[in-house]
Amino acid sequence: MTERILTGKIARERIADLDPPRVPAEILQGFRDLGDVVSAVSDALDELGVHGQVAASLLAPTLPGTSVVGSALTLLNAARAEDPLVYVKQGDNRMGEMEAHNLARPGDILVIQGIAHGSNLGGVGCTIGKRQGEVGAIIDGGIRDLGHSRSIGYPIWASLRTPLTGKWRLETMQINGPVEICGVRVHPGDVVVADDSGVCFIPREHAQAVLAFARRKAASEAAQCERVAAGVSVPELAGAKAARPPAA
């Protein structure tokens, strides 16, 4: 990784890893080639006994019809204790999201364990993230400036939408450490896949096995759809034995 000049938006000791390991590029491309990626990956996680799925009803996509695959760039926010107006008067902004964008590699997906009563990501952040090569963001918490993020083609899956800025309502506690998204533990460098069905987080150590299973699943379903198109009967599709009518 090219040496980074840090922004100073967050103390260095709060950056757990400046350059976390990612899975090989060919594995990420393999997931992209699946097409309907999230459903196949979800089935693979079930087979491996790994909990990593979150429904779109919990993390709603801002750009329907979009599918993304990438490596997790993680960020942890926490709510601040005082009335936000106190921090407004002090000019005390403790958002460290800018440093996460600074550390992003092309193909990363920003994954934020955020707060509910303020925005964890807005228009300027989306613009910087896109320029840095991020392919989108997953946020357990609030976001804002949806019109802007949509206009630049930066997809987000988020649990809440709000006009309230996070500047005075949150503090960034850590970058590239473990986070929890809707009950799922995510580490930096884990594989993230998302589409209209929801989001799946794949631990790095399971990425190859998940991809292999998902490929088999996708091939099996494609073959089954071809049989449907060819006019194979429903009992045959179901694998049922032919039933004979009872004797008169």
Side-chain angles (χ1 to χ4, degrees):
M1 178 179 178
T2 303
E3 185 177 355
R4 305 278 185 170
I5 298 173
L6 300 179
T7 68
K9 289 291 185 180
I10 183 173
R12 172 62 185 85
E13 58 268 23
R14 291 192 178 187
I15 304 174
D17 197 334
L18 289 172
D19 187 20
R22 278 84 163 174
V23 301
E26 57 268 24
I27 293 181
L28 292 178
Q29 188 58 50
F31 283 110
R32 294 187 190 101
D33 292 342
L34 288 173
D36 188 12
V37 60
V38 170
S39 294
V41 166
S42 177
D43 290 351
L45 291 173
D46 279 347
E47 290 291 326
L48 292 170
V50 177
H51 177 48
Q53 307 97 320
V54 181
S57 55
L58 297 177
L59 293 173
T62 60
L63 281 172
T66 301
S67 176
V68 296
V69 175
S71 299
L73 168 66
T74 60
L75 183 148
L76 173 64
N77 287 331
R80 300 181 71 178
E82 298 291 337
D83 185 320
L85 298 184
V86 172
Y87 300 121
V88 173
K89 290 179 181 179
Q90 297 171 350
D92 187 6
N93 175 4
R94 297 190 183 181
M95 289 187 77
E97 166 219 326
M98 195 76 73
E99 196 71 86
H101 297 308
N102 185 44
L103 295 173
R105 277 194 194 178
D108 280 353
I109 295 176
L110 181 61
V111 179
I112 300 178
Q113 179 182 340
I115 66 166
H117 58 286
S119 173
N120 300 269
L121 182 66
V124 174
C126 292
T127 303
I128 297 171
K130 186 174 178 66
R131 191 200 67 180
Q132 296 295 95
E134 296 167 23
V135 295
I138 314 294
I139 302 173
D140 190 354
I143 59 170
R144 70 178 194 168
D145 301 332
L146 271 71
H148 183 89
S149 60
R150 286 171 176 151
S151 72
I152 64 171
Y154 185 94
I156 307 170
W157 283 256
S159 58
L160 293 161
R161 304 175 185 198
T162 177
L164 297 173
T165 180
K167 286 181 181 180
W168 326 115
R169 294 174 172 83
L170 66 79
E171 179 174 0
T172 298
M173 307 306 294
Q174 190 175 54
I175 294 172
N176 278 336
V179 295
E180 188 169 297
I181 306 297
C182 298
V184 176
R185 191 79 160 171
V186 183
H187 292 85
D190 285 350
V191 178
V192 184
V193 299
D195 62 19
D196 285 344
S197 294
V199 180
C200 287
F201 301 101
I202 308 163
R204 288 195 312 272
E205 63 270 23
H206 294 298
Q208 185 67 66
V210 169
L211 177 58
F213 181 94
R215 279 173 167 161
R216 293 194 300 270
K217 176 74 173 180
S220 174
E221 291 192 352
Q224 190 77 325
C225 287
E226 288 179 4
R227 296 181 73 210
V228 173
V232 175
S233 70
V234 174
E236 288 180 281
L237 291 170
K241 293 181 179 179
R244 298 188 177 186

